[in-house]
Amino acid sequence: MGLFGTSKAARVSVDGLAQMVGNYFKRLKLDMESQQLDAADGLGWWLTEGSVKVYIFALEDPSGPVVRITAPILHYPDDNRLAFFERLLEINRELSGCCLAVFQEVVLVSAQRSTLGLDQEELNELIWNVSITADRLDDQLASEFGAMPYNEDPNC
């Protein structure tokens, strides 16, 4: 029992998180096993939303299990990088439930949180939010800055 008679939130295990991801995939009529990834630090899956691939990871962290949802959307443009990064920051300010991040010159839409108190509805919303945001922004930013969408790179 917590302060003021409230109960403490339960932490969802990596296996429990995998079951919740399975429920999400079933709702979309996707085969979870055929979309499983070989994740070194936990479990992972992928799905497609529009023109983007979304990755879902159930990871062990020293502080407890976490869920990470990430969607690579485009490479840095060759020109106008200052304006590009300013635009990313402007967009990031308006996002809720996810963020823009960069890794190895690729822009990602990402969300991550501890599994403490995570329920099915919140996981569904996290995945949906990253998916829809990534699908909306990839074409918009590619057009605006002449950047190569991640899904069009033959090396990815």
Coordinates of all heavy atoms in Angstrom, one line a residue, residues 59-151:
L59 N 13.0 -4.3 -23.7 CA 14.4 -4.4 -23.3 C 14.5 -4.5 -21.7 O 13.8 -3.9 -21.0 CB 15.1 -3.1 -23.8 CG 15.0 -2.9 -25.3 CD1 15.5 -1.5 -25.6 CD2 15.8 -3.9 -26.0
E60 N 15.6 -5.2 -21.3 CA 15.9 -5.2 -19.9 C 16.9 -4.0 -19.7 O 17.8 -3.8 -20.5 CB 16.7 -6.5 -19.6 CG 15.8 -7.7 -19.6 CD 14.8 -7.8 -18.4 OE1 14.9 -6.9 -17.5 OE2 14.0 -8.7 -18.4
D61 N 16.6 -3.3 -18.6 CA 17.4 -2.1 -18.3 C 17.8 -2.3 -16.8 O 17.1 -3.0 -16.1 CB 16.6 -0.9 -18.5 CG 17.3 0.4 -18.3 OD1 18.1 0.7 -19.2 OD2 17.2 1.1 -17.2
P62 N 18.9 -1.8 -16.3 CA 19.3 -1.9 -14.9 C 18.2 -1.5 -14.0 O 18.0 -2.0 -12.9 CB 20.5 -1.0 -14.8 CG 21.1 -1.0 -16.1 CD 20.0 -1.1 -17.1
S63 N 17.3 -0.5 -14.4 CA 16.3 0.0 -13.5 C 15.0 -0.8 -13.7 O 14.0 -0.5 -13.1 CB 16.0 1.4 -13.8 OG 15.6 1.7 -15.1
G64 N 15.0 -1.8 -14.6 CA 13.8 -2.6 -14.9 C 13.4 -2.6 -16.4 O 14.0 -1.8 -17.2
P65 N 12.5 -3.4 -16.8 CA 12.1 -3.5 -18.2 C 11.6 -2.2 -18.8 O 11.0 -1.4 -18.1 CB 11.0 -4.5 -18.2 CG 11.1 -5.3 -17.0 CD 11.7 -4.3 -16.0
V66 N 11.9 -1.9 -20.1 CA 11.4 -0.8 -20.8 C 10.9 -1.2 -22.1 O 11.3 -2.2 -22.7 CB 12.5 0.3 -21.0 CG1 13.0 0.9 -19.6 CG2 13.7 -0.2 -21.8
V67 N 10.0 -0.4 -22.7 CA 9.5 -0.6 -24.0 C 10.0 0.6 -24.8 O 10.0 1.8 -24.4 CB 8.0 -0.7 -24.1 CG1 7.3 0.6 -23.5 CG2 7.5 -0.9 -25.5
R68 N 10.6 0.3 -26.0 CA 11.1 1.4 -26.9 C 10.4 1.1 -28.3 O 10.4 0.0 -28.8 CB 12.6 1.3 -27.1 CG 13.1 2.4 -28.1 CD 14.6 2.3 -28.3 NE 15.2 2.5 -27.0 CZ 16.4 2.0 -26.7 NH1 17.1 1.2 -27.5 NH2 17.0 2.3 -25.5
I69 N 9.8 2.2 -28.8 CA 9.2 2.1 -30.1 C 9.9 3.2 -30.9 O 10.0 4.3 -30.5 CB 7.7 2.4 -30.1 CG1 6.9 1.4 -29.2 CG2 7.0 2.4 -31.4 CD1 6.2 2.0 -28.0
T70 N 10.4 2.8 -32.1 CA 11.2 3.7 -32.9 C 10.9 3.5 -34.4 O 10.7 2.3 -34.8 CB 12.7 3.6 -32.6 OG1 13.4 4.6 -33.2 CG2 13.3 2.3 -33.0
A71 N 10.9 4.5 -35.1 CA 10.7 4.5 -36.6 C 11.7 5.4 -37.3 O 11.5 6.6 -37.2 CB 9.2 4.9 -36.9
P72 N 12.6 4.8 -38.0 CA 13.5 5.7 -38.8 C 12.8 6.3 -40.0 O 12.1 5.5 -40.7 CB 14.6 4.7 -39.2 CG 14.1 3.3 -39.0 CD 13.0 3.4 -38.1
I73 N 12.9 7.6 -40.2 CA 12.1 8.2 -41.2 C 12.9 8.8 -42.4 O 12.4 8.7 -43.5 CB 11.1 9.2 -40.7 CG1 11.8 10.4 -39.9 CG2 10.0 8.5 -39.8 CD1 10.9 11.5 -39.5
L74 N 14.0 9.4 -42.2 CA 14.8 9.9 -43.3 C 16.2 10.2 -42.9 O 16.5 10.3 -41.7 CB 14.1 11.1 -43.9 CG 14.2 12.5 -43.1 CD1 14.0 13.6 -44.1 CD2 13.1 12.5 -42.1
H75 N 17.1 10.3 -43.9 CA 18.5 10.7 -43.7 C 18.6 12.2 -43.7 O 17.7 12.9 -44.2 CB 19.3 10.1 -44.9 CG 19.3 8.6 -44.9 ND1 20.2 7.9 -44.2 CD2 18.5 7.7 -45.6 CE1 20.0 6.6 -44.4 NE2 19.0 6.5 -45.3
Y76 N 19.7 12.6 -43.1 CA 20.0 14.1 -43.1 C 20.0 14.6 -44.6 O 20.5 13.9 -45.4 CB 21.3 14.4 -42.5 CG 21.4 14.1 -41.0 CD1 20.4 13.6 -40.2 CD2 22.6 14.5 -40.4 CE1 20.6 13.4 -38.9 CE2 22.8 14.2 -39.0 CZ 21.8 13.7 -38.3 OH 21.9 13.5 -36.9
P77 N 19.5 15.8 -44.8 CA 19.7 16.3 -46.2 C 21.1 16.7 -46.4 O 21.9 16.9 -45.5 CB 18.8 17.5 -46.2 CG 18.7 18.0 -44.7 CD 18.9 16.7 -43.9
D78 N 21.5 16.8 -47.7 CA 22.9 17.2 -48.1 C 23.1 18.7 -47.8 O 24.1 19.2 -47.4 CB 23.2 16.9 -49.5 CG 23.2 15.4 -49.8 OD1 23.6 14.7 -48.8 OD2 22.9 15.0 -50.9
D79 N 22.0 19.5 -48.0 CA 22.1 21.0 -47.8 C 21.1 21.5 -46.8 O 20.2 20.7 -46.4 CB 21.7 21.7 -49.2 CG 22.7 21.2 -50.3 OD1 23.9 21.2 -50.1 OD2 22.2 20.9 -51.4
N80 N 21.3 22.7 -46.4 CA 20.4 23.4 -45.4 C 20.2 22.6 -44.1 O 19.1 22.6 -43.5 CB 19.0 23.6 -46.1 CG 19.1 24.5 -47.3 OD1 19.8 25.4 -47.3 ND2 18.2 24.2 -48.3
R81 N 21.3 22.1 -43.6 CA 21.2 21.3 -42.3 C 20.8 22.2 -41.1 O 20.0 21.7 -40.3 CB 22.5 20.6 -42.1 CG 22.7 19.4 -43.0 CD 23.7 18.5 -42.5 NE 23.8 17.3 -43.4 CZ 24.5 16.2 -43.1 NH1 25.3 16.2 -42.1 NH2 24.5 15.2 -43.9
L82 N 21.3 23.4 -41.1 CA 20.9 24.2 -39.9 C 19.4 24.4 -39.9 O 18.7 24.2 -38.9 CB 21.6 25.6 -40.0 CG 21.2 26.6 -38.8 CD1 21.5 26.0 -37.5 CD2 21.9 27.9 -39.0
A83 N 18.8 24.8 -41.1 CA 17.3 25.0 -41.2 C 16.6 23.7 -40.9 O 15.5 23.6 -40.3 CB 17.0 25.5 -42.6
F84 N 17.2 22.5 -41.4 CA 16.6 21.2 -41.1 C 16.5 20.9 -39.6 O 15.5 20.5 -39.1 CB 17.5 20.2 -41.8 CG 17.0 18.8 -41.6 CD1 15.9 18.3 -42.2 CD2 17.8 17.9 -40.9 CE1 15.5 16.9 -42.0 CE2 17.5 16.6 -40.7 CZ 16.3 16.1 -41.3
F85 N 17.6 21.1 -38.9 CA 17.6 20.8 -37.5 C 16.7 21.8 -36.7 O 16.1 21.4 -35.7 CB 19.0 20.8 -36.9 CG 19.8 19.6 -37.4 CD1 21.0 19.8 -38.1 CD2 19.4 18.3 -37.1 CE1 21.7 18.6 -38.6 CE2 20.1 17.2 -37.5 CZ 21.2 17.4 -38.3
E86 N 16.7 23.0 -37.1 CA 15.7 24.0 -36.5 C 14.3 23.5 -36.7 O 13.5 23.6 -35.8 CB 15.9 25.4 -37.1 CG 17.2 26.1 -36.6 CD 17.4 27.5 -37.2 OE1 16.6 27.9 -38.1 OE2 18.3 28.1 -36.8
R87 N 14.0 23.0 -37.9 CA 12.7 22.5 -38.2 C 12.3 21.3 -37.3 O 11.2 21.2 -36.8 CB 12.5 22.2 -39.6 CG 11.2 21.7 -40.0 CD 10.2 22.9 -40.1 NE 8.9 22.4 -40.6 CZ 7.8 22.3 -39.8 NH1 7.8 22.7 -38.6 NH2 6.7 21.8 -40.4
L88 N 13.3 20.4 -37.1 CA 13.1 19.2 -36.3 C 12.8 19.7 -34.8 O 11.9 19.1 -34.2 CB 14.3 18.3 -36.3 CG 14.7 17.6 -37.6 CD1 15.9 16.7 -37.4 CD2 13.5 16.8 -38.1
L89 N 13.5 20.7 -34.4 CA 13.3 21.2 -33.0 C 11.9 21.8 -32.9 O 11.2 21.6 -31.9 CB 14.3 22.1 -32.6 CG 15.7 21.5 -32.3 CD1 16.7 22.6 -32.1 CD2 15.6 20.6 -31.0
E90 N 11.5 22.5 -33.9 CA 10.1 23.1 -33.9 C 9.0 22.0 -33.9 O 8.1 22.1 -33.1 CB 9.9 24.0 -35.1 CG 10.7 25.3 -35.1 CD 10.7 26.0 -36.5 OE1 10.1 25.5 -37.4 OE2 11.3 27.1 -36.5
I91 N 9.2 21.0 -34.7 CA 8.3 19.9 -34.7 C 8.3 19.2 -33.4 O 7.2 18.9 -32.8 CB 8.6 18.9 -35.9 CG1 8.3 19.6 -37.2 CG2 7.8 17.6 -35.7 CD1 8.9 18.8 -38.4
N92 N 9.5 19.0 -32.8 CA 9.6 18.2 -31.6 C 8.8 18.9 -30.4 O 8.2 18.3 -29.6 CB 11.1 18.1 -31.2 CG 11.4 16.8 -30.5 OD1 10.7 15.8 -30.7 ND2 12.4 16.8 -29.7
R93 N 8.8 20.2 -30.5 CA 8.1 21.0 -29.4 C 6.6 20.7 -29.4 O 6.0 20.8 -28.4 CB 8.4 22.5 -29.7 CG 7.8 23.4 -28.6 CD 7.8 24.9 -29.0 NE 6.9 25.1 -30.1 CZ 7.1 26.0 -31.1 NH1 8.1 26.8 -31.1 NH2 6.2 26.1 -32.1
E94 N 6.1 20.4 -30.6 CA 4.7 20.2 -30.7 C 4.2 18.8 -30.5 O 3.0 18.5 -30.4 CB 4.2 20.7 -32.1 CG 4.4 22.2 -32.4 CD 3.7 23.1 -31.4 OE1 2.6 22.7 -31.0 OE2 4.3 24.1 -31.0
L95 N 5.2 17.8 -30.5 CA 4.8 16.4 -30.4 C 4.4 16.1 -28.9 O 4.9 16.6 -28.0 CB 6.0 15.5 -30.8 CG 6.4 15.6 -32.3 CD1 7.6 14.7 -32.5 CD2 5.2 15.2 -33.2
S96 N 3.5 15.1 -28.8 CA 3.1 14.6 -27.5 C 3.2 13.1 -27.6 O 2.6 12.5 -28.5 CB 1.7 15.1 -27.2 OG 1.2 14.6 -26.0
G97 N 3.8 12.5 -26.6 CA 3.9 11.0 -26.5 C 5.0 10.4 -27.3 O 5.1 9.2 -27.3
C98 N 5.7 11.2 -28.1 CA 6.9 10.7 -28.8 C 7.8 11.9 -29.1 O 7.4 13.0 -28.7 CB 6.4 10.0 -30.1 SG 5.6 11.1 -31.3
C99 N 8.9 11.6 -29.7 CA 9.9 12.7 -29.9 C 10.6 12.4 -31.2 O 10.6 11.2 -31.7 CB 10.9 12.8 -28.8 SG 12.0 11.4 -28.6
L100 N 11.3 13.4 -31.7 CA 12.2 13.2 -32.8 C 13.6 13.0 -32.2 O 14.0 13.7 -31.2 CB 12.2 14.4 -33.8 CG 11.0 14.6 -34.5 CD1 11.1 15.9 -35.3 CD2 10.7 13.5 -35.5
A101 N 14.4 12.1 -32.8 CA 15.7 11.8 -32.3 C 16.6 11.6 -33.5 O 16.1 11.4 -34.7 CB 15.7 10.6 -31.4
V102 N 17.9 11.5 -33.4 CA 18.8 11.3 -34.5 C 19.8 10.2 -34.0 O 20.2 10.1 -32.9 CB 19.6 12.5 -34.9 CG1 18.6 13.5 -35.5 CG2 20.4 13.1 -33.8
F103 N 20.2 9.4 -35.0 CA 21.2 8.3 -34.8 C 21.8 8.0 -36.1 O 21.1 7.7 -37.1 CB 20.5 7.1 -34.2 CG 21.4 6.0 -33.9 CD1 22.3 6.0 -32.8 CD2 21.5 4.8 -34.7 CE1 23.2 5.0 -32.5 CE2 22.3 3.8 -34.4 CZ 23.2 3.9 -33.3
Q104 N 23.1 8.1 -36.1 CA 23.9 7.9 -37.3 C 23.4 8.5 -38.6 O 23.1 7.9 -39.6 CB 24.1 6.3 -37.5 CG 24.8 5.7 -36.4 CD 25.0 4.2 -36.6 OE1 24.3 3.5 -37.4 NE2 25.9 3.6 -35.8
E105 N 23.1 9.8 -38.5 CA 22.6 10.7 -39.5 C 21.2 10.2 -40.1 O 20.9 10.4 -41.3 CB 23.6 10.8 -40.7 CG 24.9 11.5 -40.2 CD 25.7 12.2 -41.2 OE1 25.2 12.3 -42.4 OE2 26.8 12.6 -40.9
V106 N 20.4 9.6 -39.2 CA 19.1 9.2 -39.6 C 18.1 9.8 -38.5 O 18.4 9.8 -37.3 CB 18.9 7.7 -39.6 CG1 17.4 7.3 -39.8 CG2 19.7 7.0 -40.7
V107 N 17.0 10.4 -39.0 CA 16.0 11.0 -38.1 C 15.0 9.9 -37.7 O 14.6 9.1 -38.6 CB 15.3 12.2 -38.7 CG1 14.2 12.7 -37.8 CG2 16.3 13.2 -39.1
L108 N 14.7 9.8 -36.4 CA 13.8 8.8 -35.9 C 12.6 9.4 -35.2 O 12.8 10.5 -34.6 CB 14.5 7.9 -34.8 CG 15.9 7.3 -35.1 CD1 16.6 6.8 -33.9 CD2 15.8 6.2 -36.2
V109 N 11.5 8.8 -35.2 CA 10.4 9.1 -34.3 C 10.5 8.0 -33.3 O 10.5 6.8 -33.6 CB 9.0 9.1 -35.0 CG1 7.9 9.4 -34.0 CG2 9.0 10.2 -36.1
S110 N 10.4 8.4 -32.0 CA 10.7 7.5 -30.9 C 9.9 7.7 -29.7 O 9.5 8.9 -29.4 CB 12.2 7.5 -30.6 OG 12.6 6.5 -29.7
A111 N 9.6 6.7 -28.9 CA 9.0 6.8 -27.6 C 9.6 5.6 -26.8 O 9.9 4.5 -27.3 CB 7.5 6.6 -27.7
Q112 N 9.9 5.9 -25.5 CA 10.4 4.9 -24.6 C 9.9 5.2 -23.2 O 9.7 6.4 -22.8 CB 11.9 5.0 -24.6 CG 12.6 4.0 -23.6 CD 14.1 3.9 -23.7 OE1 14.6 3.8 -24.8 NE2 14.8 4.0 -22.6
R113 N 9.6 4.1 -22.5 CA 9.1 4.3 -21.1 C 9.3 3.0 -20.3 O 9.4 1.9 -20.9 CB 7.7 4.8 -21.0 CG 6.7 3.7 -21.1 CD 5.3 4.1 -20.9 NE 4.6 4.4 -19.7 CZ 4.4 3.6 -18.7 NH1 4.9 2.4 -18.6 NH2 3.7 4.0 -17.6
S114 N 9.4 3.1 -19.0 CA 9.5 2.0 -18.1 C 8.2 1.2 -18.3 O 7.1 1.8 -18.6 CB 9.7 2.5 -16.7 OG 9.3 1.5 -15.8
T115 N 8.2 0.0 -17.9 CA 6.9 -0.8 -18.0 C 6.2 -0.7 -16.6 O 5.1 -1.3 -16.5 CB 7.2 -2.3 -18.2 OG1 8.0 -2.8 -17.2 CG2 7.9 -2.5 -19.6
L116 N 6.7 0.1 -15.7 CA 6.0 0.3 -14.4 C 4.6 0.9 -14.7 O 4.5 2.0 -15.2 CB 6.8 1.2 -13.5 CG 6.3 1.4 -12.1 CD1 6.3 0.1 -11.4 CD2 7.1 2.4 -11.4
G117 N 3.6 0.2 -14.4 CA 2.2 0.7 -14.5 C 1.7 0.7 -16.0 O 0.6 1.2 -16.2
L118 N 2.5 0.1 -16.9 CA 2.1 0.1 -18.3 C 0.9 -0.9 -18.5 O 0.9 -2.0 -18.0 CB 3.2 -0.4 -19.2 CG 3.0 -0.4 -20.7 CD1 2.8 1.0 -21.3 CD2 4.1 -1.2 -21.4
D119 N -0.2 -0.4 -19.2 CA -1.3 -1.3 -19.5 C -1.5 -1.3 -21.0 O -0.8 -0.6 -21.8 CB -2.6 -0.8 -18.8 CG -3.1 0.6 -19.3 OD1 -2.7 1.0 -20.4 OD2 -3.8 1.2 -18.5
Q120 N -2.3 -2.2 -21.4 CA -2.5 -2.5 -22.9 C -2.9 -1.2 -23.6 O -2.4 -0.9 -24.7 CB -3.6 -3.6 -23.1 CG -3.7 -4.0 -24.5 CD -2.5 -4.7 -25.1 OE1 -2.1 -5.7 -24.5 NE2 -1.9 -4.3 -26.2
E121 N -3.8 -0.4 -23.1 CA -4.2 0.8 -23.8 C -3.1 1.8 -24.0 O -3.0 2.4 -25.1 CB -5.4 1.5 -23.0 CG -6.7 0.7 -23.2 CD -7.8 1.5 -22.5 OE1 -7.8 2.7 -22.4 OE2 -8.7 0.8 -22.0
E122 N -2.2 1.9 -23.0 CA -1.1 2.8 -23.1 C -0.1 2.3 -24.1 O 0.4 3.1 -25.0 CB -0.5 3.1 -21.8 CG 0.6 4.1 -21.9 CD 1.3 4.5 -20.6 OE1 1.0 3.8 -19.5 OE2 2.1 5.4 -20.5
L123 N 0.2 1.0 -24.1 CA 1.1 0.5 -25.1 C 0.5 0.7 -26.5 O 1.2 1.1 -27.5 CB 1.3 -1.0 -24.9 CG 2.2 -1.7 -25.9 CD1 3.6 -1.1 -25.9 CD2 2.3 -3.2 -25.8
N124 N -0.8 0.4 -26.7 CA -1.4 0.6 -28.0 C -1.3 2.1 -28.5 O -0.9 2.3 -29.6 CB -2.9 0.3 -28.0 CG -3.2 -1.2 -27.7 OD1 -2.3 -2.0 -27.7 ND2 -4.4 -1.5 -27.4
E125 N -1.5 3.0 -27.6 CA -1.4 4.4 -27.9 C 0.1 4.8 -28.3 O 0.3 5.6 -29.2 CB -1.9 5.3 -26.8 CG -1.9 6.8 -27.1 CD -2.5 7.6 -26.0 OE1 -3.4 7.1 -25.3 OE2 -2.0 8.8 -25.9
L126 N 1.1 4.3 -27.5 CA 2.5 4.6 -27.8 C 2.8 4.1 -29.2 O 3.4 4.8 -30.0 CB 3.4 3.9 -26.8 CG 3.5 4.5 -25.4 CD1 4.2 3.6 -24.5 CD2 4.2 5.9 -25.5
I127 N 2.5 2.9 -29.6 CA 2.8 2.3 -30.9 C 2.1 3.1 -32.0 O 2.7 3.5 -33.0 CB 2.4 0.8 -31.0 CG1 3.2 0.0 -30.0 CG2 2.6 0.3 -32.4 CD1 2.8 -1.4 -29.8
W128 N 0.8 3.4 -31.8 CA 0.0 4.1 -32.8 C 0.6 5.5 -33.0 O 0.7 6.0 -34.1 CB -1.5 4.2 -32.3 CG -2.3 4.9 -33.3 CD1 -2.9 4.4 -34.4 CD2 -2.7 6.3 -33.2 NE1 -3.6 5.4 -35.0 CE2 -3.5 6.6 -34.3 CE3 -2.4 7.3 -32.3 CZ2 -4.0 7.8 -34.6 CZ3 -2.9 8.6 -32.6 CH2 -3.7 8.8 -33.7
N129 N 0.9 6.2 -31.9 CA 1.4 7.6 -31.9 C 2.7 7.7 -32.7 O 2.9 8.5 -33.6 CB 1.5 8.1 -30.5 CG 1.6 9.6 -30.5 OD1 1.1 10.3 -31.4 ND2 2.1 10.2 -29.4
V130 N 3.6 6.8 -32.4 CA 4.9 6.8 -33.1 C 4.6 6.4 -34.6 O 5.2 7.1 -35.5 CB 5.9 5.8 -32.5 CG1 7.1 5.5 -33.4 CG2 6.4 6.2 -31.2
S131 N 3.8 5.5 -34.9 CA 3.5 5.0 -36.2 C 2.9 6.1 -37.1 O 3.4 6.4 -38.2 CB 2.6 3.8 -36.2 OG 3.1 2.7 -35.5
I132 N 1.9 6.8 -36.6 CA 1.2 7.8 -37.3 C 2.1 9.0 -37.5 O 2.1 9.6 -38.6 CB -0.2 8.2 -36.6 CG1 -1.1 7.0 -36.7 CG2 -0.8 9.4 -37.2 CD1 -1.5 6.5 -38.0
T133 N 2.8 9.4 -36.5 CA 3.7 10.6 -36.5 C 4.8 10.3 -37.6 O 5.1 11.2 -38.4 CB 4.2 10.9 -35.2 OG1 3.2 11.1 -34.2 CG2 5.2 12.1 -35.2
A134 N 5.4 9.2 -37.5 CA 6.4 8.8 -38.5 C 5.9 8.8 -39.9 O 6.6 9.4 -40.8 CB 7.0 7.5 -38.1
D135 N 4.8 8.3 -40.1 CA 4.2 8.2 -41.5 C 3.9 9.6 -42.0 O 4.0 9.9 -43.2 CB 3.0 7.3 -41.5 CG 2.5 7.1 -42.9 OD1 3.3 6.8 -43.8 OD2 1.3 7.1 -43.2
R136 N 3.4 10.5 -41.1 CA 3.1 11.9 -41.5 C 4.4 12.7 -41.8 O 4.5 13.4 -42.8 CB 2.3 12.5 -40.4 CG 1.9 14.0 -40.7 CD 1.0 14.6 -39.6 NE 1.5 14.4 -38.3 CZ 2.4 15.3 -37.7 NH1 2.8 16.4 -38.3 NH2 2.8 15.1 -36.4
L137 N 5.4 12.5 -41.0 CA 6.6 13.4 -41.1 C 7.6 12.9 -42.2 O 8.3 13.8 -42.7 CB 7.3 13.5 -39.7 CG 6.6 14.2 -38.6 CD1 7.3 14.1 -37.3 CD2 6.3 15.7 -39.1
D138 N 7.6 11.7 -42.5 CA 8.7 11.2 -43.5 C 8.5 11.9 -44.8 O 9.5 12.5 -45.3 CB 8.7 9.7 -43.6 CG 7.5 9.1 -44.2 OD1 6.4 9.7 -44.2 OD2 7.6 8.0 -44.8
D139 N 7.3 11.9 -45.4 CA 7.1 12.6 -46.6 C 7.2 14.1 -46.5 O 7.8 14.7 -47.4 CB 5.7 12.2 -47.2 CG 5.6 10.7 -47.5 OD1 6.7 10.1 -47.8 OD2 4.5 10.1 -47.4
Q140 N 6.7 14.6 -45.5 CA 6.7 16.1 -45.3 C 8.1 16.6 -45.2 O 8.4 17.6 -45.9 CB 5.9 16.4 -44.0 CG 6.0 17.9 -43.6 CD 5.4 18.1 -42.2 OE1 4.5 17.4 -41.8 NE2 5.9 19.2 -41.6
L141 N 9.0 16.0 -44.4 CA 10.3 16.5 -44.3 C 11.2 16.2 -45.5 O 12.0 17.0 -45.9 CB 11.0 15.9 -43.0 CG 10.4 16.5 -41.7 CD1 10.9 15.7 -40.5 CD2 10.8 17.9 -41.5
A142 N 11.0 15.0 -46.1 CA 11.7 14.7 -47.3 C 11.4 15.7 -48.4 O 12.3 16.2 -49.1 CB 11.3 13.3 -47.8
S143 N 10.1 16.1 -48.6 CA 9.8 17.1 -49.6 C 10.3 18.5 -49.2 O 10.8 19.2 -50.1 CB 8.2 17.1 -49.7 OG 7.8 18.2 -50.5
E144 N 10.2 18.8 -48.0 CA 10.6 20.2 -47.5 C 12.1 20.4 -47.7 O 12.6 21.5 -48.0 CB 10.2 20.4 -46.1 CG 10.2 21.8 -45.6 CD 9.6 21.9 -44.2 OE1 8.8 21.1 -43.8 OE2 10.0 22.9 -43.5
F145 N 12.9 19.3 -47.4 CA 14.4 19.5 -47.4 C 15.1 18.7 -48.4 O 16.4 18.7 -48.4 CB 14.9 19.2 -46.0 CG 14.5 20.3 -45.0 CD1 13.4 20.1 -44.2 CD2 15.2 21.4 -44.9 CE1 13.0 21.0 -43.3 CE2 14.8 22.4 -44.0 CZ 13.7 22.2 -43.2
G146 N 14.5 17.9 -49.2 CA 15.1 17.1 -50.2 C 15.9 16.0 -49.6 O 16.9 15.5 -50.2
A147 N 15.5 15.5 -48.5 CA 16.2 14.4 -47.8 C 15.7 13.1 -48.3 O 14.5 13.0 -48.7 CB 16.0 14.5 -46.3
M148 N 16.6 12.1 -48.3 CA 16.2 10.7 -48.7 C 15.4 10.0 -47.6 O 15.9 9.8 -46.5 CB 17.4 9.9 -49.1 CG 17.0 8.5 -49.6 SD 18.3 7.3 -49.8 CE 19.7 8.2 -50.2
P149 N 14.1 9.6 -47.9 CA 13.4 8.8 -46.9 C 14.2 7.5 -46.6 O 14.8 6.9 -47.5 CB 12.1 8.5 -47.6 CG 11.9 9.6 -48.6 CD 13.3 9.9 -49.1
Y150 N 14.1 7.1 -45.4 CA 14.8 6.0 -44.9 C 14.4 4.7 -45.7 O 15.3 3.9 -46.1 CB 14.6 5.7 -43.4 CG 15.5 4.7 -42.8 CD1 16.8 4.9 -42.5 CD2 14.9 3.4 -42.6 CE1 17.6 3.9 -41.9 CE2 15.7 2.4 -42.0 CZ 17.1 2.7 -41.7 OH 17.9 1.7 -41.2
N151 N 13.1 4.6 -46.0 CA 12.6 3.4 -46.7 C 13.1 3.3 -48.1 O 12.9 2.3 -48.8 CB 11.1 3.3 -46.6 CG 10.4 4.4 -47.3 OD1 11.0 5.4 -47.7 ND2 9.1 4.2 -47.6

